Amino acid sequence: MTTPDVHEDGRVRRPVTERRLHPITPFRRAWAPVAVLIGWALHDPDQAQRQLTRLTTTTLLVALGVLLPAAALYGFLTWWFTHFAVTGSELRIRTGLLFRRTAHIRLERIQAIDVTQPLLARVAGVAKLRLDVIGTDKKDELAFLGADEARALRAELLARAAGFAPETAHEVGEAPSRQMLRVPPGVLAVSLLLTGATWGWLVVAAVALPLLWTATHSLWTVLAAAVPMLGAVGAGSVGRFVTEYDWTLGESPDGLRIDHGLLDRAHETVPPGRVQTVRLVEPLLWRRRGWVRVELDVAGSSNSLLLPVAPRELAESVVARVLPGVSVPPRETLVPPPRRARWCVPVWWRGYGLAVTDAVFATRHGLLRRSLSLVPHAKVQSVRLVQGPWQRARGVADVVVDTGANKSVTARLRDATEAAALLRSQAERSRTGRRDALPDRWMA
Amino acid sequence: METGSPQNTGPAETGATAQAAGPVAGAESEPARTESEPAGTESEPAGTEGEPVWIALPPGLLKMRRLLLVVWLGLLALAAGLVPGLLAGPGWAAFAALPLAVLVWGWVMLERNWRSWRYAERADDLLLSRGVLWRQETVVPYGRMQLVEVTSGPVERHFGLASVQLHTAAAATDATVPGLVPAEAERLRDRLTELGEARSAGL
């Protein structure tokens, strides 16, 4: 299906090809009514039983005869009325049966593109394409596309976003990817076993559940307490293992490639210059092995993990790749707050530290679970100095740096005069830091 | 420096529109504010290199806030005095002293808070300083501004006031200049927009 693409200047350009989603799409929500029924039955078993006995064959047949075609028709129509098209500078999505919605997504504003395959979609050979754009609450996604089509579309979108000519964008194909790092499952499993939160929940469960049993002697109370606790343990260990399994980090001209997942596979792409902040997190139990976890913030994106676990040197080389020209400041160069800061934050003040290099604003916090946040100067949106009454009495102040990913990085408890100087110089650096940043269309 | 009072603002280039704000309280003791060329033209503020040129808020905001305080706490004092006084005896009308004490305290606090607010337009960024106990100083480079907004509620409009709000890509950037004279608010908005375009940078 083709429609002429009429532009403001009235000229009729190359026709834009509109495409539809994969025909399997209408079935994506087929499980929802079943889930509602099961949920209701579990919630109120007695009444569900009573209702079931009252159902006769005829009512059942009539209900099926009405509901099934209605659901099928709805599914078909929503699929039929959803189109998408790629033009020179935009991705257009038209959708909606009664309430029409047309989204035009500017390609150079794309912050990340993810291709995800939930387990059932993997079986069916389809995939979901999700686009992260700044300023939209609702994630625009194309679900579902054929797996190969999704990959081809991602390659095309990235090629156009990078600034390749529209005629050649089709043929550019997937940019070659070079594998940088792969997290072995064994290391991931050990790292998750060494996570304090999981053990904390287990200890809490081991203490609280017997106490609850002696106090109430009610199996239901104990179960009601045990299920969320064990759920937290499961999500922190098994759940994370399943999503972070086979974590592969690749580098391509299109940006960073992150592939991961045991059951649900996800392939994320972060184009160059989109990373706003990077955090190196070092839990207490990982320190002896020299492992760190690397997190990142991208504007308008929910992806926040860059590496679930990696040796420190390797992680630092990856950070240098992600933020060009940035090297992670070594621990000795981080300046701790003045000694009098201990009156503001008694023990933990020792965990704070700050280092400002030519390229990056780096702050550390945490004593047991150390976390080092890096913000390139070019990504700083505004700088603030905050000083409470107690801090003023001690002559210290906090310097807060705001980034476009709606995260702020705070250098806590700096000497007041140093903080004032830092405020001015940081504003200057963030202004000049932008000069040698990559353009939005990075291949143009 | 930077004690948060307009006494320390020094010679300020306020421009023709800011002059309409009338004499700024506390500035009388100061050498008269120099009337240099109107701001918004090519010439950058004098304090580009060294100290920033701070501009305090016009007194209208203080007047408005004080009036609101008097109205609300006056009503509260009346209620706190009359209800127990009529129901339980005239001695209980002393409850009215509580809102009145808050009123006096608020009267003083509002002025301190109002004095602490000030802003400075530098060559490449806007400086905003506020707060008495919890002090906050914000620097927003012009190139990072995504949107400049002038808002004015019904009460503010009645008092002839408007606020200028700056938005960057970071939602945490809370840069609002309240209680400006509308003409100054519009001048500031236009100047910020112009400078923002000239120095525009992406994310």
Side-chain angles (χ1 to χ4, degrees):
Chain A
M1 175 173 171
T2 56
T3 51
D5 187 24
V6 184
H7 277 259
E8 306 81 41
D9 50 6
R11 272 186 303 137
V12 179
R13 289 247 197 109
R14 217 165 49 85
V16 175
T17 329
E18 283 205 326
R19 287 186 267 172
R20 285 216 176 81
L21 298 171
H22 197 274
I24 208 168
T25 309
F27 297 102
R28 61 185 290 214
R29 295 210 177 88
W31 55 268
V34 182
V36 168
L37 274 181
I38 290 175
W40 170 69
L42 282 179
H43 177 73
D44 199 352
D46 295 343
Q47 200 172 0
Q49 189 117 41
R50 240 177 298 138
Q51 296 285 346
L52 268 181
T53 51
R54 266 202 286 160
L55 279 180
T56 58
T57 333
T58 37
T59 49
L60 208 64
L61 277 180
V62 167
L64 278 182
V66 173
L67 281 180
L68 267 188
L73 189 69
Y74 174 76
F76 172 76
L77 285 177
T78 48
W79 171 75
W80 184 257
F81 281 103
T82 304
H83 303 272
F84 68 94
V86 187
T87 72
S89 60
E90 288 171 339
L91 171 70
R92 298 180 181 174
I93 306 173
R94 282 201 299 138
T95 179
L97 179 57
L98 292 175
F99 299 94
R100 306 306 306 263
R101 175 172 180 268
T102 312
H104 288 205
I105 300 163
R106 293 182 61 81
L107 293 180
E108 75 262 24
R109 287 299 188 198
I110 286 177
Q111 299 293 311
I113 300 185
D114 302 346
V115 175
T116 51
Q117 280 189 295
L119 187 59
L120 282 176
R122 268 174 93 180
V123 174
V126 292
K128 201 192 281 189
L129 190 94
R130 206 185 65 199
L131 302 160
D132 290 323
V133 189
I134 308 168
T136 53
D137 299 328
K138 191 170 165 288
K139 294 282 164 255
D140 282 295
E141 58 176 29
L142 294 172
F144 286 93
L145 298 164
D148 296 331
E149 198 190 354
R151 275 175 178 280
L153 184 64
R154 175 178 73 168
E156 189 186 339
L157 288 177
L158 283 167
R160 283 178 192 258
F164 281 110
E167 291 75 32
T168 58
H170 262 308
E171 290 88 57
V172 169
E174 199 144 285
S177 166
R178 195 180 64 77
Q179 186 178 319
M180 282 159 78
L181 196 74
R182 185 181 210 126
V183 179
V187 171
L188 182 66
V190 173
S191 79
L192 290 175
L193 281 181
L194 290 178
T195 305
T198 312
W199 293 106
W201 277 113
L202 274 180
V203 168
V204 168
V207 173
L209 294 183
L211 277 180
L212 214 58
W213 175 250
T214 50
T216 60
H217 282 284
S218 149
L219 186 66
W220 288 109
T221 323
V222 174
L223 267 183
V227 166
M229 283 186 194
L230 294 179
V233 171
S237 54
V238 180
R240 269 178 58 184
F241 183 79
V242 169
T243 47
E244 293 169 9
Y245 179 82
D246 192 25
W247 192 281
T248 313
L249 200 64
E251 193 185 30
S252 78
D254 280 341
L256 215 57
R257 288 272 161 80
I258 305 169
D259 303 327
H260 61 94
L262 179 64
L263 301 175
D264 302 356
R265 286 296 284 179
H267 312 272
E268 299 162 7
T269 307
V270 182
R274 259 61 168 179
V275 177
Q276 306 269 338
T277 59
V278 170
R279 274 184 308 280
L280 288 132
V281 184
E282 199 178 7
L284 178 67
L285 296 174
W286 292 12
R287 213 177 288 170
R288 214 170 59 84
R289 291 165 185 268
W291 287 347
V292 291
R293 177 184 164 87
V294 188
E295 297 171 0
L296 85 175
D297 294 320
V298 175
S301 168
S302 51
N303 309 340
S304 65
L305 195 55
L306 180 60
L307 267 179
V309 57
R312 198 179 174 89
E313 311 81 63
L314 221 53
E316 285 181 2
S317 70
V318 167
V319 169
R321 278 302 198 357
V322 174
L323 303 174
V326 170
S327 60
V328 179
R331 193 168 303 143
E332 310 81 66
T333 61
L334 287 159
V335 184
R339 258 192 84 75
R340 58 181 185 278
R342 70 182 185 277
W343 298 107
C344 293
V345 179
V347 178
W348 302 94
W349 70 276
R350 285 174 188 280
Y352 298 128
L354 168 75
V356 182
T357 67
D358 293 340
V360 77
F361 181 87
T363 68
R364 191 184 69 175
H365 69 90
L367 208 54
L368 299 177
R369 184 178 186 272
R370 287 195 204 127
S371 168
L372 178 71
S373 308
L374 307 172
V375 189
H377 295 315
K379 298 295 179 193
V380 174
Q381 297 285 332
S382 61
V383 195
R384 285 179 287 152
L385 182 145
V386 185
Q387 192 180 40
W390 187 248
Q391 287 181 331
R392 184 151 63 248
R394 303 284 150 217
V396 291
D398 296 347
V399 175
V400 187
V401 159
D402 302 315
T403 70
N406 280 341
K407 292 277 168 63
S408 296
V409 172
T410 311
R412 295 211 56 192
L413 303 175
R414 309 312 302 175
D415 177 78
T417 46
E418 181 204 336
L422 190 65
L423 181 75
R424 302 296 152 83
S425 56
Q426 190 56 40
E428 177 69 20
R429 271 192 294 264
S430 80
R431 194 171 56 74
T432 52
R434 183 69 201 174
R435 279 194 199 129
D436 34 57
L438 276 171
D440 271 350
R441 291 175 177 272
W442 59 95
M443 295 294 262
Chain B
M1 54 168 272
E2 290 153 26
T3 52
S5 102
Q7 264 92 1
N8 289 5
T9 49
E13 181 204 49
T14 52
T17 46
Q19 288 297 317
V24 175
E28 302 94 77
S29 57
E30 195 62 16
R33 298 167 139 233
T34 45
E35 282 185 56
S36 51
E37 57 282 280
T41 56
E42 289 71 34
S43 65
E44 300 294 354
T48 311
E49 296 303 319
E51 279 303 286
V53 183
W54 291 103
I55 305 176
L57 296 187
L61 182 70
L62 178 64
K63 225 189 283 172
M64 181 187 91
R65 286 186 175 163
R66 277 184 169 169
L67 192 78
L68 286 178
L69 180 85
V70 168
V71 167
W72 285 113
L73 282 176
L75 284 176
L76 198 67
L78 212 63
L82 278 182
V83 174
L86 290 178
L87 293 181
W92 294 95
F95 269 116
L98 213 68
L100 287 178
V102 174
L103 192 142
V104 172
W105 179 75
W107 185 272
V108 178
M109 284 301 131
L110 279 182
E111 183 174 352
R112 282 183 66 187
N113 179 272
W114 168 76
R115 273 175 192 281
S116 73
W117 280 85
R118 56 200 186 141
Y119 63 97
E121 298 162 58
R122 293 200 301 181
D124 297 297
D125 42 35
L126 185 86
L127 283 166
L128 250 166
S129 172
R130 66 183 163 99
V132 181
L133 282 182
W134 274 270
R135 279 197 40 213
Q136 185 166 330
E137 200 174 330
T138 310
V139 187
V140 188
Y142 295 133
R144 298 303 163 88
M145 283 175 200
Q146 301 281 326
L147 169 72
V148 186
E149 223 180 356
V150 176
T151 55
S152 184
V155 183
E156 280 182 306
R157 253 202 317 278
H158 182 258
F159 282 85
L161 298 174
S163 318
V164 176
Q165 196 171 0
L166 317 176
H167 297 272
T168 67
T173 306
D174 170 32
T176 310
V177 190
L180 293 173
V181 181
E184 162 70 357
E186 272 165 34
R187 181 199 69 81
L188 191 63
R189 180 197 60 195
D190 292 344
R191 185 175 151 78
L192 292 179
T193 322
E194 188 186 308
L195 287 167
E197 268 168 26
R199 292 168 174 72
S200 176
L203 291 174

